[in-house]
Amino acid sequence: MADTSRKTPPAPSAAQKALHKLGLVRDIDLALHLPLRYEDETRIVPLRNARDGDTVQIEATVTSSEVQLRPRRMLKVAVDDGTGTCELTFFSFYPSHQKTLAVGARLRIRGEVKGGFWGRQMLHPQFRVAGGELPAALTPVYPTTAGLPQPYLRRAVVTALQRADLSETLPPGLDPPVGHFMGRNGLQRPCSLREALTFLHHPAPDVALATLEDHSHPAWQRLKAEELLAQQLSQQQSRRARDQLRAPVLRPSQAADGAWPLHEQLLAVLPFGLTAAQRRVGEEIAADLARSVPMHRLLQGDVGSGKTVVAALAACRAMDAGWQCALMAPTEILAEQHFTKMIGWLEPLLAASGRRVAWLVGGQKKKERAAMLALVESGEAALVVGTHAVIQEQVRFQKLALAIIDEQHRFGVAQRLELRRKLEAHGMEPHMLMMSATPIPRTLAMSYYADLDVSVIDELPPGRTPIVTKLIADSRKDEVIERIGAQVAAGRQVYWVCPLIEESEALDLSNATATHQDLSEALPGVVVGLLHSRMPAAEKKAVMALFSSGQMGVLVSTTVIEVGVDVPNASLMVIEHAERFGLSQLHQLRGRVGRGAAASACVLLYATNDSGRVGETAKERLRAMVETNDGFEIARRDLEIRGPGEFLGARQSGDALLRFADLATDTHLLEWARATAPLMLDRYPEWADRHVARWLGGRADYLKA
Ligand code: ADP
Ligand code: MG
């Protein structure tokens, strides 16, 4: 083993530290650090040809050089290259500069030309003594940071490019569809990674710069294809690894005591029939549960599409086979709501076989908690509903077969892994059903969620009246409050949401408190409640109970955290400072109304500045909410505007995000990567490993959980 204790390595220079800060550690990291833009130092341009606004390199002789003091101190230098003249101006300069810029000196000068034929000028151009070879390629300008000068970074990249292992990882015959590359000898052929990188760092001067800027050049395409392939390989690898694991086989025929299965019983007692979409996803889930490999399925459905009952029916399948099921939600209020629903639907059915629904949350009383833990451990609790508390170590399931996670993006990687370990004693993993109301656009699902199976409920239950959405300036708040009064008078209920101001929870709270007071005063005789994130759980519960039972007319809420709630009598949703929310978030909030048969509305209040205007882009963005009620369309627009981060939640580790590929434009490369990954894993597994290691290094894990 290497002995590192004796010799301390030399302290890293500031530049080396800055390199590390940018994540440029391995040679391959530097090789993949691509230029922002390029400078053309390959040519000397005659001044005669230099137009106003051009950035050019010239070689010329100094004809005069003098310091002027008015209007301020500056160095004025005139140069002539035989085809024209130019005046150089420097406001800051040292004696050494003056020496280089002395009359008679011949210089190579680079800068932006201002003015035309009669008086060309350059302000603070770069200059040095003329002569020396001209570079053959464009000069790269890299993204950098303080303490890391361009020339240092350029040298580091050149060295790294020479040293890095850029051997081919794409097997023969699996070339990406990236167009062809013009070799030195003028032959067209597919470009290799080494060629692509060498070219992008030092492109030939005759390249069409636009193709570098919009990343359509074959060299760029090649990089994007490789990156997408790495992502697909990594996820398909983890899926294959999972396929080696065992999970309980949950077959419908296995009803423990020969009684009518809970699944059928629940269907019979539901006050509604399932939609076709609910039936379809139910069958997809059933098929997974009947297999001996763990299900990892993402159930997507717009707000109000009825995911909860699908979850309950899936739970029934596990319980019918004699196993336990866990249902987890990110907040106590949501968990409580699920609990109430599950108790209502299932406890009467479970009672016959002496089984129960248990309840586990963080702030539970010791005694209650101990009782619940005992129920879980003995297996008497067939279903356990709760928050993160469900995955804690002390929670020992007798035999957990299915874990259902609502609002899955609010749970982290570690938490999902924890759940997967809950059946370790049996040498198996439970099935996982993850639910999300934020529709994930297709390309995102194909890339970031490639390791999951996806089911979509693409239909709302019948009898809903569409929600009318209105954009209203907050200067007209009074009219909105009047409307609230009318709704409450008609027996309806209203939500009022104040935005979460992340930087200042205190300010956030005071806003909501003030709003609560205003509304209470403006609406005498109406019960106005307040719900915010800092309230003790018991108090939150009490407020929600009043609202759910219809005794409270208006609920002011500070946070989007508690909005998975389901109160069908609520018919008006007011969102203050709507411009501060993402579209998908607004859509989620809006989905809290329109759950019953009554006509429902959503009012988006936007803040205006002193002149009564809101940023046009903000309003333009909000208009999408008025135009469509389709969560997928809204998600697509959100993706365009805000990028993928919003959708990824816990997967949103910056490290795991794509750096080069753009899901909006690179669909064909994504399709190629998706089709190629399995071939490569089957036929060239070592190539696949090398490819993933090169592109993802240690980051592959982020993509897998
Ligand atoms: P989400 O998908 O947003 O979680 P929920 O499961 O909360 O939606 O369902 C929204 C409402 O629709 C609930 O009140 C639920 O009981 C009701 N619901 C679900 N499925 C149907 C159906 N097939 N027909 C009528 N109402 C339904
Ligand atoms: Mg829900």
Side-chain angles (χ1 to χ4, degrees), residues 479-610:
E479 293 167 45
V480 176
I481 295 176
E482 246 171 67
R483 187 148 158 202
I484 291 178
Q487 285 288 308
V488 176
R492 302 271 160 224
Q493 289 169 280
V494 179
Y495 294 100
W496 183 295
V497 178
C498 311
L500 188 72
I501 304 165
E502 267 166 38
E503 314 84 68
S504 161
E505 217 182 321
L507 186 62
D508 182 26
L509 214 64
S510 75
N511 273 345
T513 316
T515 303
H516 176 239
Q517 223 156 45
D518 290 351
L519 288 177
S520 303
E521 279 163 26
L523 298 165
V526 176
V527 182
V528 182
L530 173 63
L531 194 67
H532 61 73
S533 44
R534 293 247 191 104
M535 259 157 72
E539 217 174 300
K540 280 189 195 170
K541 225 186 219 172
V543 171
M544 264 329 286
L546 281 176
F547 192 67
S548 300
S549 67
Q551 289 161 273
M552 183 180 282
V554 181
L555 179 61
V556 177
S557 159
T558 53
T559 161
V560 296
I561 294 176
E562 315 294 359
V563 295
V565 298
D566 182 27
V567 178
N569 189 48
S571 60
L572 176 60
M573 163 71 62
V574 181
I575 304 173
E576 215 174 343
H577 282 295
E579 74 280 357
R580 294 191 191 157
F581 291 92
L583 295 183
S584 291
Q585 262 177 316
L586 289 173
H587 181 65
Q588 291 275 306
L589 287 168
R590 174 169 67 180
R592 297 306 120 206
V593 295
R595 306 199 138 212
S600 297
C602 174
V603 171
L604 303 177
L605 284 175
Y606 58 87
T608 50
N609 60 20
D610 294 341

Side-chain angles (χ1 to χ4, degrees), residues 79-106:
V79 297
D80 187 329
D81 74 348
T83 71
T85 60
C86 185
E87 186 181 61
L88 319 180
T89 306
F90 301 88
F91 290 114
S92 65
F93 52 94
Y94 294 100
S96 63
H97 292 157
Q98 280 171 274
K99 218 164 141 192
T100 312
L101 293 163
V103 173
R106 188 149 176 87

Side-chain angles (χ1 to χ4, degrees), residues 298-369:
L298 177 65
L299 173 58
Q300 283 193 58
D302 212 341
V303 274
S305 61
K307 292 183 290 296
T308 317
V309 71
V310 172
L313 287 163
C316 285
R317 295 199 185 271
M319 296 187 285
D320 278 331
W323 291 76
Q324 288 171 296
C325 175
L327 170 56
M328 267 187 3
T331 70
E332 221 168 296
I333 286 194
L334 258 182
E336 163 120 35
Q337 192 158 296
H338 284 328
F339 182 61
T340 312
K341 240 183 192 156
M342 296 301 150
I343 292 262
W345 283 337
L346 295 171
E347 276 226 324
L349 311 181
L350 283 168
S353 56
R355 289 179 294 172
R356 301 188 44 188
V357 181
W359 165 240
L360 276 175
V361 290
Q364 225 160 1
K365 293 223 175 65
K366 258 201 170 141
K367 220 170 130 191
E368 188 189 7
R369 182 175 166 76

Side-chain angles (χ1 to χ4, degrees), residues 381-392:
L383 174 61
V384 183
V385 182
T387 56
H388 299 80
V390 171
I391 37 181
Q392 276 160 358

